[in-house]
Amino acid sequence: MSSLYTATVPSNIAFIKYWGKRADAQQWPANDSLSMTLNQLATKTTVRLHQADDHMLRLGDRIYNRSDKNLGKTFVHLDRLALRFGYSQKLQITSSNSFPMGAGIASSASGLAALTLASLMAWTDSRNWDDLERHGFDRSMLADLARLGSGSACRSLFGGFVQWEAGLDPDAQRYASLFSDEHWALRDTVVLFSSEQKSVGSTEAHELAWSSPLFIPRLSGLPERMNLVKDALAARDMQALGLWLEVEALEMHAVIMTARQPVYYLNEAARQFLADLREARQKGEIHAYFTIDAGPNIHVIHEASEHERLKLWLQRRLAADHLLHDSVGAGPHLDFQSE
Ligand code: PMV
């Protein structure tokens, strides 16, 4: 009889971006960030113990091993966890995403968080959160570990609207869900302009942030912006939140485009879309705002009451398979099964 340990972890979309880090080894970010945990866009990872010399990873209909460059991060993360806690048991891992990888929806966030949870469940024979905690893995410890795989993964460990504080030293990083998913039923409609893998991954791009002349001024303005965004969330003020979302996304892209090796994540169609969205908003046709991660896809943030009107507006411009509809969610979910 074998046991199957499953973690389903949603992606998250940052309202205040984590961009640039102070120390690489412990994933110490240059600034505090804040995100909305999503609901449907998620990674589901199932792990069982594997009697073999190495881990095996199945993603979609393909099997990967550690020499595969694209998924190197996965094996590095497993080795890191095994070494730190002394686990020698190899794992068989099956993982699937409900969205395309590496295209600006944080697949590394949900992916590395799901891998952290499911592999630790298997290594410790934990069937739920309480079991994990009894083995020393409370939510904050799990976020610390997920962060080492991919920075933004730590925020996906929590539901609702989540802050990741950088703290005064790498060990003083903290995570908190500031408002639950029930506080404000915000929606995220993702407009896919490309589902290809990114040309420059975020690890490399984080390093380049310091070379942009816009980066230090950005950091000095962020504490105030963070407070304004929190106020807007507390007051459920879409306009106040939305205006900061757009400033924040464009500023991060400005930093990226002015770094020593500039990267242009947005293609022409995406840029045109941003202009159209703002124009329609000004005309009062829709009430929605954009944010963008390090990729070409646009996240359109809006209230639930706006969804139908926005959907019609989007469907007039884009094919349905270019749109993903999601909302704020409650965070990860764990499952155990024996077969
Ligand atoms: O977690 P990483 O290293 O893939 O960095 C993600 C950075 C952004 O998604 C662009 C912003 C964020 O805070 O999620």
Side-chain angles (χ1 to χ4, degrees), residues 12 14 16-19 108 150-152 155 202 206 252 293-294:
N12 68 79
I16 298 284
K17 308 290 179 187
Y18 147 51
W19 197 250
S108 65
S150 170
S152 53
R155 295 186 311 238
S202 58
H206 279 297
M252 183 185 79
D293 274 345

Side-chain angles (χ1 to χ4, degrees), residues 53-246:
D53 294 341
D54 202 357
H55 307 296
M56 192 197 95
L57 174 66
R58 184 192 298 272
L59 195 57
D61 49 15
R62 262 198 66 186
I63 292 180
Y64 293 84
N65 60 39
R66 63 175 60 243
S67 62
D68 207 296
K69 257 207 232 126
N70 274 342
L71 291 170
K73 245 185 180 179
T74 306
F75 287 90
V76 170
H77 193 55
L78 285 171
D79 292 346
R80 179 189 290 125
L81 295 174
L83 186 72
R84 177 149 163 193
F85 300 105
Y87 302 129
S88 52
Q89 174 69 55
K90 300 301 174 201
L91 306 177
Q92 185 183 324
I93 301 150
T94 306
S95 195
S96 60
N97 287 330
S98 61
F99 53 85
M101 276 173 69
I105 311 172
S107 65
S108 65
S110 56
L112 271 297
L115 179 72
T116 305
L117 284 170
S119 59
L120 287 170
M121 285 170 77
W123 274 320
T124 59
D125 186 26
S126 289
R127 298 165 183 212
N128 50 44
W129 296 104
D130 287 344
D131 287 355
L132 278 171
E133 192 164 344
R134 266 193 295 280
H135 285 97
F137 300 108
D138 65 10
R139 198 74 73 121
S140 151
M141 172 69 158
L142 291 164
D144 276 338
L145 296 171
R147 184 192 82 217
L148 300 176
S150 170
S152 53
C154 62
R155 295 186 311 238
S156 275
L157 263 285
F158 303 83
F161 301 89
V162 182
Q163 185 177 24
W164 169 19
E165 281 183 70
L168 293 176
D169 65 71
D171 294 329
Q173 301 187 50
R174 295 284 175 270
Y175 323 91
S177 173
L178 301 179
F179 303 99
S180 83
D181 57 314
E182 285 169 15
H183 169 71
W184 193 10
L186 281 186
R187 298 281 186 109
D188 177 8
T189 299
V190 190
V191 185
L192 298 174
F193 285 100
S194 165
S195 54
E196 281 163 28
Q197 291 276 335
K198 289 186 272 198
S199 55
V200 178
S202 58
T203 311
E204 204 183 322
H206 279 297
E207 279 160 26
L208 289 166
W210 297 95
S211 72
S212 161
L214 304 181
F215 192 54
I216 302 283
R218 162 173 167 76
L219 293 182
S220 65
L222 277 180
E224 192 191 348
R225 187 176 303 165
M226 177 63 89
N227 286 334
L228 293 168
V229 166
K230 283 190 204 170
D231 289 348
L233 282 173
R236 301 186 190 90
D237 183 339
M238 190 65 238
Q239 187 178 6
L241 175 69
L243 294 174
W244 285 117
L245 286 185
E246 296 192 350

Side-chain angles (χ1 to χ4, degrees), residues 10-24:
S11 179
N12 68 79
I13 178 66
F15 288 178
I16 298 284
K17 308 290 179 187
Y18 147 51
W19 197 250
K21 42 189 142 192
R22 288 186 201 277
D24 199 32

Side-chain angles (χ1 to χ4, degrees), residues 7-44:
T8 306
V9 183
S11 179
N12 68 79
I13 178 66
F15 288 178
I16 298 284
K17 308 290 179 187
Y18 147 51
W19 197 250
K21 42 189 142 192
R22 288 186 201 277
D24 199 32
Q26 288 144 304
Q27 294 273 57
W28 189 24
N31 61 275
D32 297 353
S33 57
L34 191 156
S35 57
M36 173 168 101
T37 296
L38 297 177
N39 193 29
Q40 309 284 337
L41 301 179
T43 301
K44 182 175 178 183

